[in-house]
Amino acid sequence: MNDAIRAAFARANDFTDDRPVYVIGAGPGGLAVAAALRERGVRAVVLEKSGSVGASWRGHYDRLRLHTTRRLSSLPGLAMPRAFGRWVARDDVVRYLEKYAEFHELELITGVAVTRVEPAGPDWVLHATGGRRLTGRAVVVATGFNHTPRLPDWPGRESFPGELLHASAYREPGPYAGKDVLVVGAGNTGAEIAADLAAGDAARIRLSVRTAPHIVRRSVLGWPAQRAAVLSRRLPVHLVDLAARAISRVSVPDLSAHGLPRPGTGLSSRAGQGALPVLDVGLIDAVRKGRVEPVAAVESFEGGKVVLADGSRIAPDVVIAATGYRRGLEDLVGHLGVLDDRGRPVVGRRTKRGRAAHEAPGLYFTGFTNPISGMLRELGIDARKIAKRLGRLAAKEDAGVARETAKAP
């Protein structure tokens, strides 16, 4: 090996490289990508707008636990401690992310918000707070699936005299003791908040449902739903729908008499459209006992009341909107033609390109899907694939530099 090749090899494994891969976001996805890149000798710098890792996790409601098992939720290179239990609590997830960044000695810069990224020849320029202009060989956007709370623009909502908040602002049931509460949205967040309120002292809890969700037990006879979901991804959709329907009829009671009928479409078919099943953490019992009352979807607000799709009017004290989030990527990358009409990244097949953007070589995304097999598990898979691709590109680039250097007189 001549001196030029040795120098190129050293650059590929030099963590002081002034053309790092910039990772935007210090949540699970960003940390996993940075760790996987570091393992391959590619310098990665994580930029986080808040003051710490796992900012979104810190803001979730108190009772939240992973709906996926500890063993299938660890990120690459560090297992979650067994002491966390099977269903890991929110605070333990935060502790794990802190330990993960420390264990992998990640290069993390907090308090820096990236506002726009642009290609600059073979490199990328990031515009950040404080007038910073950062140049890197690639960019990985990991700002998260739950980025910007989405509150529907219901007609008349400004006139509602009660309290109206997004689910992102909900923490625990104490403030709602003695109150009539309407939770809007029957996804996992809405279902869990309704169950949490039912365990507290709220006077009345109603759950607004537009489309009846698939409700599944977190585990059946000790077999976690996540493992079944992982296996189902390799099976035809119609077979998964049939199997899920059979399991549901055995493990989940019919709640039709309580206003929550079984859905008419298959579980896997719905998941393919982005509607994940609701993992039961108390909703079934709360509905059966009458503590949570399913009602129709919210249409508007009128005369201080909430108008539902069936024409009825109710007057809750509090409305909690579990109505999802936007990705919030328009300002950051919207000018690059890499977003679809719903603001989601348009990427290549993960198995071939590692979540790389079609129209912007060197730009990658992770954490912008919500797979039935578990977000953290898929983030780990994405991280390895992105790192593998970028590692190969870095090695190829540095080998080219070595060849040019060797030719020089």
Side-chain angles (χ1 to χ4, degrees), residues 155-199:
R157 77 178 194 192
E158 298 83 3
S159 64
F160 181 60
E163 182 182 359
L164 172 61
L165 66 150
H166 189 269
S168 59
Y170 175 86
R171 293 295 174 268
E172 50 94 16
Y176 309 99
K179 295 185 178 182
D180 183 332
V181 184
L182 172 66
V183 180
V184 183
N188 275 293
T189 297
E192 188 155 356
I193 288 176
D196 196 32
L197 289 165

Side-chain angles (χ1 to χ4, degrees), residues 54-68:
S56 64
W57 275 93
R58 295 172 191 273
H60 287 315
Y61 45 92
D62 294 351
R63 73 167 278 166
L64 179 65
R65 289 180 175 270
L66 287 179
H67 292 160
T68 54

Side-chain angles (χ1 to χ4, degrees), residues 81-407:
R82 293 185 63 184
F84 286 178
R86 193 179 203 189
W87 312 105
V88 182
R90 178 202 64 182
D91 290 349
D92 286 333
V93 173
V94 172
R95 280 191 280 270
Y96 171 70
L97 296 178
E98 291 173 339
K99 180 64 178 177
Y100 191 84
E102 177 186 347
F103 178 83
H104 288 289
E105 299 180 337
L106 301 183
E107 192 171 346
L108 174 66
I109 303 175
T110 60
V112 174
V114 179
T115 56
R116 185 180 176 92
V117 299
E118 295 177 327
D123 294 328
W124 285 84
V125 173
L126 294 78
H127 300 267
T129 50
R132 297 178 178 87
R133 287 173 57 89
L134 309 171
T135 302
R137 64 171 65 197
V139 176
V140 181
V141 181
T143 49
F145 190 83
N146 296 340
H147 185 272
T148 305
R150 186 181 70 84
L151 189 64
D153 189 20
W154 289 302
R157 77 178 194 192
E158 298 83 3
S159 64
F160 181 60
E163 182 182 359
L164 172 61
L165 66 150
H166 189 269
S168 59
Y170 175 86
R171 293 295 174 268
E172 50 94 16
Y176 309 99
K179 295 185 178 182
D180 183 332
V181 184
L182 172 66
V183 180
V184 183
N188 275 293
T189 297
E192 188 155 356
I193 288 176
D196 196 32
L197 289 165
D201 296 318
R204 187 175 188 179
I205 306 139
R206 282 173 282 206
L207 178 63
S208 174
V209 182
R210 183 170 297 279
T211 304
H214 285 274
I215 303 176
V216 301
R217 303 286 190 182
R218 279 198 304 190
S219 63
V220 177
L221 299 176
W223 180 260
Q226 184 189 8
R227 288 197 178 276
V230 171
L231 293 175
S232 73
R233 299 192 73 179
R234 300 178 179 273
L235 299 174
V237 169
H238 72 280
L239 289 181
V240 178
D241 285 346
L242 289 172
R245 185 176 298 116
I247 294 171
S248 176
R249 293 189 180 279
V250 172
S251 61
V252 177
D254 187 357
L255 300 174
S256 299
H258 301 277
L260 200 58
R262 296 186 189 277
T265 53
L267 184 151
S268 186
S269 298
R270 288 278 298 279
Q273 299 168 3
L276 296 184
V278 170
L279 293 170
D280 179 52
V281 291
L283 180 66
I284 291 174
D285 285 345
V287 170
R288 294 178 74 179
K289 293 175 181 177
R291 284 291 286 145
V292 173
E293 308 167 44
V295 297
V298 172
E299 290 293 313
S300 63
F301 291 75
E302 184 179 311
K305 294 186 178 182
V306 179
V307 182
L308 303 180
D310 60 5
S312 60
R313 286 168 165 75
I314 60 176
D317 301 311
V318 182
V319 176
I320 301 175
T323 47
Y325 295 79
R326 295 191 301 272
R327 308 295 84 83
L329 294 171
E330 288 78 7
D331 290 342
L332 184 68
V333 298
H335 56 289
L336 299 174
V338 296
L339 303 179
D340 65 15
D341 57 2
R342 296 173 60 185
R344 301 172 303 181
V346 178
V347 296
R349 286 174 55 87
R350 186 187 64 201
T351 52
K352 291 185 178 180
R353 302 189 64 199
R355 299 288 189 200
H358 280 299
E359 305 298 331
L363 180 64
Y364 298 78
F365 296 89
T366 185
F368 293 96
T369 60
N370 196 10
I372 192 173
S373 53
M375 174 72 81
L376 292 178
R377 177 181 180 274
E378 295 299 320
L379 289 176
I381 295 173
D382 276 357
R384 292 187 180 96
K385 292 185 179 297
I386 291 172
K388 182 177 181 180
R389 179 172 175 81
L390 284 173
R392 287 177 173 174
L393 292 175
K396 182 178 180 180
E397 178 183 327
D398 285 315
V401 172
R403 285 194 296 270
E404 292 301 316
T405 303
K407 294 177 183 178

